[in-house]
Amino acid sequence: MESAIFVQNLHKTFRNGSSLKAVDGVSFEVAPGEIFSLLGPNGAGKTTTISMLSALLKPDNGATGANDIRIMGRSLITEPLAAKAMIGVVPQDIALYQDLSALENLIFWAKMYGLKGTLLKTRVAEVLDLIGLTDRANDRISKYSGGMKRRVNIGVALLHQPKVIYMDEPTVGIDPQSRRSILDGVIALKNQGMTVLYTTHYMEEAQELSDRIAIMDHGKIIANDSHENLIRLVGQKTRISLSINTEPETMIEPWKACKGVSTIAIEESKINLLVDDSNKVLPRLFETAAAKDVRITSVEIQEPNLETVFLHLTGRALRDA
Amino acid sequence: MKSLTIALNDLRRSFRSTFALLFMFGIPLLVTGMFFVMFGNIKNTDAPVIATTKVALANLDAGNAQTGQLGQTLVDALQSEGLSKLMEVTLVKDSASAREMVVNQQAGVAIIIPANFSDSFSDTQAKVEVEFIQDPTLILGPQVVRSVLNQMLDAYAGIKITVAESLKMAENGNLSYDEISRIVTEYMAATEFSSDSTPLIDLRSPAALPKKNPMVSLVGPIMAGMMIFYAFFTGANTANSILREDEEGTLQRMFTTPTAHTEIMRGKFYSVGLTVIVQVTVLMIAARIIFGIQWGMLASAALTALAIACVAGTFGIMLVSFLKSTKQSGIIFGGALTVTGMLGMVNIFTGNPQSAPLGIVPLFTPQGWATRAILASMDGAAVGTILPSLLIMVAMSIVFFVIGVWRLQSRFA
Ligand SMILES: Nc1ncnc2c1ncn2[C@@H]1O[C@H](COP(=O)(O)OP(=O)(O)OP(=O)(O)O)[C@@H](O)[C@H]1O
Ligand SMILES: [Mg+2]
């Protein structure tokens, strides 16, 4: 079967002052009906990728010049209007007219998607119902809560019943309840047969929603697989995070030498280790520290998850915090 | 048709924005209203702002068998009730005593109607000179009297033609002298010289016979100036929505819909034109209703309004194309629009649309041509007369538009 989204060899360098390679050779395919997530820390290049897939940014010619973007078989480069008609884009930042009501916004955007007459009216009513704002339809967007704005922001992208929807961090900065309802909404869309390209830097979201996850870092996709397969990359390893009462650097070398320690990295005064079996490795870490007269002040043990995968692949933590 | 959807959406948003409404309609009408009230006070209060000028009037007119005592009609007009607050007329026997009164400061102004005043109306070749002498130490009062007198004599020029024409016909035996004097009297009645209260300050074109409020001719150019200034402001402010939408992400969102970039940009351009044309139309109608301002013949006024919308809109688009972000818009709009606006409209703000203190400088600005066209239209000019101004405005619009589109297309499309 043909891919819903086919992306090959995208490059994008921003040249303002210094040149920054925001996207560096990204390729992936998403099958129809799949939820595919781009997971990566701030600045990984997720939004830049989505922008190229929405024809908002022109990809640079890659090293081979052979870049391509196809949506449901239509090339975004040679048939942009036909390809864009297949896509609903939910931008990362809310892009609505704050001085208009939700209803007026939806009607305007429906017209921009080419809807007319009764179809326009029924679709606007359906979307209002779907995002649960029928009662508040005539209120101005500026009077809405953050979560309600996010829902309208998503609703706009669903008006023309697209085959493919891009959602760029749709849950940033909202309350848990709104977040839950958005995640449920995404799953409902998948159940209706829609293909979803989702970006996030919350690994829990990627884990819960996605059929497949591409981990992005510094403009590159460094892994692309199902959640289970990604976890398998780190094997049976466990992540241990420790704090000590002195400079973290003091213990890097001694602990690296310990049996069973595979990766060690300092992240914001904490020392993160990937180990084979925490039960066996932990006592050795304590012994080594005691021999050096260093006190361990906190210990955190984490079973393998996407965070561990990211640490394993990059030597850094996924989240800055 | 999506471009029209975009334009209408912008128009709706402008009408919902207090800020836009204030600058589109509020300020122009309020400022004009202020002047209206100020001038209204001059006319209506019992204690006039301008002191009554003492006028020494010598009517030497000998009269004429055919045309009657036209000098006397001018005397009657100057003594009419409506002008009594502006001038206090004292009749004197001869020119010498009239002059003497000015010299002795018993009068601010002396007016001497020559002996051949009536005669000259039956002789197409004759030249009449009504003498006007003023106390050089006075400024405002004599000027007012002089302008009233000028307006009256302008209207006499109309009569003179009428009379001359009538006489020709009479010689052919078509009209009796009685009929001629009836025509003259009717004309006088129609222009209300000799009769009632309205002071005839604005009768430059005899074609505009319906009664005009004198304030209209003072407030009209102010309203025109306000309208042009704020049309340019609205043009720039609406064009600025391209940058605002870029910063708010709605422009990008439009680009993600299956809509050609050129269609989206066209929609934004339509929205500028549409908003300014709505603004100008509403302002003209409102000023007509509220202040009774006459904009001239329908075709002239409508075409001028259209040309103003074009040049104001495209000027705004060009200005915006030079901005990096909306943060700069305040300074650039304030600077560019104030400078070009003031230069273009200097003739209105110096109080005399006829004189040109800065020579041709105003004509280097689009506002200058807009002012010129609208004042001509208000003066009753036909489309043919203002066509050159309109064509220059269209030419300027094309230049502004090409520059603006060229810069914006390379950025957004
Ligand atoms: N228009 C631009 N001009 C210059 N640099 C840019 C531009 N847009 C993005 N960048 C840079 O490109 C890199 C990738 O940015 P991008 O927005 O794609 O990241 P992201 O993965 O979406 O991050 P986040 O999770 O914070 O949204 C960043 O370093 C960013 O500063
Ligand atoms: Mg982003």
Side-chain angles (χ1 to χ4, degrees), chain A residues 54-56 80-82 84-85 87 89-91 93-101 104 107-109 111-114 140 152-157 160, chain B residues 1-10 12-18 245 247-261 263-264 268 412:
Chain A
S54 326
L56 288 178
L81 295 190
K84 281 198 267 183
I87 317 170
V89 181
V90 181
D93 298 315
I94 288 163
L96 298 169
Y97 296 106
Q98 301 282 334
D99 48 353
L100 299 183
S101 69
E104 288 165 333
I107 291 174
F108 172 77
W109 292 110
K111 286 180 181 164
M112 291 306 292
Y113 279 116
R140 291 192 190 179
V152 182
N153 200 38
I154 296 171
V156 166
H160 58 305
Chain B
M1 280 294 88
K2 284 183 190 173
S3 46
L4 203 62
T5 305
I6 295 171
L8 290 173
N9 189 50
D10 280 1
R12 180 208 297 253
R13 296 182 63 215
S14 293
F15 272 89
R16 210 165 271 188
S17 147
T18 321
E245 288 213 47
E247 286 161 17
E248 286 163 8
T250 43
L251 190 67
Q252 276 68 21
R253 185 161 219 164
M254 281 190 219
F255 289 146
T256 69
T257 66
T259 313
H261 284 208
E263 172 109 22
I264 293 169
K268 296 306 290 180
F412 291 117

Side-chain angles (χ1 to χ4, degrees), chain A residues 14 16 20 22 41-48 92 169 201:
Chain A
F14 289 111
N16 28 14
L20 177 91
N42 292 127
K46 306 182 293 292
T47 300
T48 307
Q92 177 168 358
E169 309 211 27
H201 60 258

Side-chain angles (χ1 to χ4, degrees), chain B residues 20 25 52 54 65 85 97 185 190 198 200 230 238 265 276 291 296 299 311 341 362 385 388 390 397 408:
Chain B
F25 307 116
T52 310
K54 291 205 169 86
K85 291 215 176 79
S97 23
T185 322
T198 320
L200 290 148
Y230 286 100
T238 314
M265 293 315 281
V276 183
F291 309 117
V311 78
T385 319
L390 298 185
S397 304
L408 289 171

